[in-house]
């Protein structure tokens, strides 16, 4: 089965508006549904990373971008949004092919990409500081938000264009210059988006990109002394490495890391809508999603009926080629990840849990060349089981029953992660009380895997540090600078005036 119709794409780094070939070996990407070669990228070593950071440094220290008015930055970002809008279908196809995500899902994400750039443009136009006008006679102060400098943006493979759009336009709106490092598996849409940013008129040195591997290119970039702020999305394990390097260099960091969201369904909820959302939240993007509703908590009185319905709807999902309009679930990102996910499925089978649907790799009906796993639901899961505790990042849903709100909150918070949770109820008091007690950056009520560019996103606990997107997302790339102005005399304790003139 193949979703590829063209020659493999071949990309170099984009540094200061110029295509720069690799100073190290090159990398290849294969379509995870077919194994077919689809792209070849440069691999940045120290030399390429130095060049890219130097270009961003020059553009920040001496270039026009940080000095443009907010209105001018907004205008160029809107032009960028419009070019991305025109390229949506092509970008969606690139992400679909390299991630293995169904094309229908990729198209939705590209709408989100455009929305983020447009929203960031509005922030560039409207960002403002603070003023203190009642400090004292003849003494006023104002604080402006100044860009932090050179931003390193490190993006994972699961939502390549969307996660880039949660960082790049906000960094640019703030006046930062950037060096992007996309995932080694899914770099194409990022390269194409950088070209569109240049075409829009955003100065070349303000947006640079190096492709390559995490432990080489990524590590070199995030620990580079000339980088001022690192915005990283990826695993908690890698996030710790980035944080310790940034701690050593005293850089600002934003970390968006792993998750293990609970999806809490109370008996009084609209169970029909909740069942659809439970399937969607667990299996969107094959479960390769940091906010997947991977732990389904259902109130005991409705659990049997509700879970049976979720399983029935899950069996209607179509697993297949990402290029097929009818596909709901594509392949996993690569063979190593498939083995990891299947390891969790085995752990589920070996515990007292029962796979009521799925529970295996799919190799029939033309799926044999790809990394396909059947959407899987385990019931009878103990909260201590690995499948309930650890981030699987695949299409595996664990179901646990609860008795009351206290029990639901205890189970929901029984995780090292705190990125997002969801709850379903028709009682507004339950909605308020439970959402207040669930420890995560986001809580969805009667919805799941939802959002808008205005709404800050990020995690507590092992899910990260800081908030992305929205106004808080812009502020990740700025710091305040206070200007204090005294227009009259100030009484100083010394030098003492003893009368007469000195
Ligand atoms: P990784 O942490 O492996 O990689 C993320 C990015 O960091 C990639 O570009 C990767 O490059 C790079 N990288 C890897 N090692 C280093 C390093 N030592 N120094 C600097 N950069 C490095 O995560 P995955 O790509 O595997 O993504 C999946 C993970 O990301 C999941 O755990 C998921 O929960 C999390 N995630 C979190 C999100 C959030 O918003 N909170 C959103 C999406 C995913 P390369 O690809 O070449 O290895």
């Amino acid at each position: 089965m193949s979703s590829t119709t063209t020659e493999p794409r071949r990309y170099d780094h984009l540094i200061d508006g110029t295509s720069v070939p690799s100073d190290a070996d090159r990398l290849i990407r294969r379509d995870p549904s077919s194994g077919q070669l689809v792209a070849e990228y440069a691999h940045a070593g120290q030399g390429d990373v130095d060049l890219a950071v130097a270009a961003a440094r020059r553009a920040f220290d001496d270039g026009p971008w940080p000095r443009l008015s907010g209105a001018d930055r907004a205008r160029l970002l809107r032009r960028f949004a419009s070019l991305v809008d025109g390229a949506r279908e092509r970008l969606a196809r690139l992400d679909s092919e390299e991630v293995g995500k169904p094309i229908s899902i990729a198209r939705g994400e590209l709408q989100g990409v455009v929305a983020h750039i447009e929203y960031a443009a509005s922030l560039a136009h409207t960002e403002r500081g603070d003023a203190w006008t009642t400090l004292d006679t003849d003494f006023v102060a104002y604080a402006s938000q100044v860009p932090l400098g050179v931003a390193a943006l490190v993006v994972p493979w699961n939502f390549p264009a969307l996660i880039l759009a949660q960082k790049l336009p906000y960094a640019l709106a703030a006046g930062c210059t950037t060096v992007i490092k996309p995932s080694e598996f899914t770099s194409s849409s990022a390269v194409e988006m950088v070209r569109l940013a240049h075409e829009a008129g955003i100065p070349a040195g303000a947006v640079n990109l190096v492709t390559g591997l995490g432990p080489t290119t990524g590590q070199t970039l995030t620990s580079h002394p000339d980088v001022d702020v690192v915005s990283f999305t990826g695993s908690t394990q890698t996030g710790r490495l980035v944080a310790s390097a940034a701690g050593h260099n005293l850089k600002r960091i934003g970390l968006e890391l792993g998750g293990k969201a609970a999806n809490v369904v109370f008996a009084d909820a609209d169970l029909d809508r909740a069942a659809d959302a439970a399937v969607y939240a667990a299996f969107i993007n094959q479960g390769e999603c940091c906010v997947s509703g991977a732990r389904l908590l259902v109130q005991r009185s409705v659990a049997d009926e509700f879970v049976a319905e979720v399983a029935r709807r899950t069996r209607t999902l179509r697993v297949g080629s990402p290029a097929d309009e009818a596909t709901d679930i594509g392949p996993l990102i690569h063979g190593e990840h498939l083995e990891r996910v299947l390891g969790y499925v085995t752990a589920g089978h070996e515990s007292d849990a029962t796979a009521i649907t799925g529970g295996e790799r799919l190799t029939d009906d033309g799926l044999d060349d790809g990394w396909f796993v059947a959407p899987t639901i385990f019931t009878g899961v103990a909260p201590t089981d690995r499948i309930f505790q650890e981030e699987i990042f695949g299409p595996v849903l664990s179901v646990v029953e609860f008795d009351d709100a206290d029990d639901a909150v205890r189970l929901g918070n029984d995780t090292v992660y705190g990125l997002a949770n969801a709850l379903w109820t028709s009682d507004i008091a339950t909605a308020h009380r439970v959402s207040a007690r669930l420890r995560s950056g986001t809580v969805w009520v009667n919805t799941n895997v939802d959002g808008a560019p205005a709404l800050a996103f990020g995690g507590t606990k092992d899910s990260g540090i800081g908030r992305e997107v929205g106004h808080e997302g812009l502020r990740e790339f700025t710091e305040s600078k206070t200007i204090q102005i005294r227009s009259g005399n100030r009484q100083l304790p010394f030098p003492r005036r003893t009368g007469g003139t000195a």
Side-chain angles (χ1 to χ4, degrees), residues 193-256:
M193 281 170 64
V194 170
R195 288 181 180 163
L196 294 174
H198 294 160
E199 192 182 328
I202 295 171
V207 190
N208 304 278
L209 173 142
V210 285
T211 50
L213 301 177
T216 52
T217 313
Q219 201 275 338
T220 307
L221 177 63
T222 53
S223 56
H224 200 288
D226 271 343
V227 165
D228 300 296
V229 48
V230 176
S231 175
F232 171 88
T233 300
S235 61
T236 296
Q237 192 186 1
T238 310
R240 288 188 207 284
L241 296 177
V242 170
S244 50
H248 181 71
N249 292 318
L250 298 178
K251 296 184 198 316
R252 172 90 70 87
I253 47 167
L255 301 175
E256 303 293 340

Side-chain angles (χ1 to χ4, degrees), residues 9-15 17-20 26 39-42 80 84 87 90-91 94-95 98 155 160-161 164 168 180-199 207-212:
R9 297 174 288 279
R10 194 174 187 287
Y11 291 119
D12 291 329
H13 312 301
L14 288 173
I15 300 175
T18 306
S19 208
V20 175
R26 291 184 67 85
E40 193 197 306
Y41 313 116
F80 178 33
V84 172
R90 170 161 170 73
L91 294 168
L94 295 177
D95 275 2
E98 293 186 5
V155 179
L164 179 59
L168 177 64
I180 298 159
K181 203 309 257 167
S183 166
E184 68 190 270
F185 305 107
T186 57
S187 297
S188 293
S189 61
V191 181
E192 300 281 347
M193 281 170 64
V194 170
R195 288 181 180 163
L196 294 174
H198 294 160
E199 192 182 328
V207 190
N208 304 278
L209 173 142
V210 285
T211 50

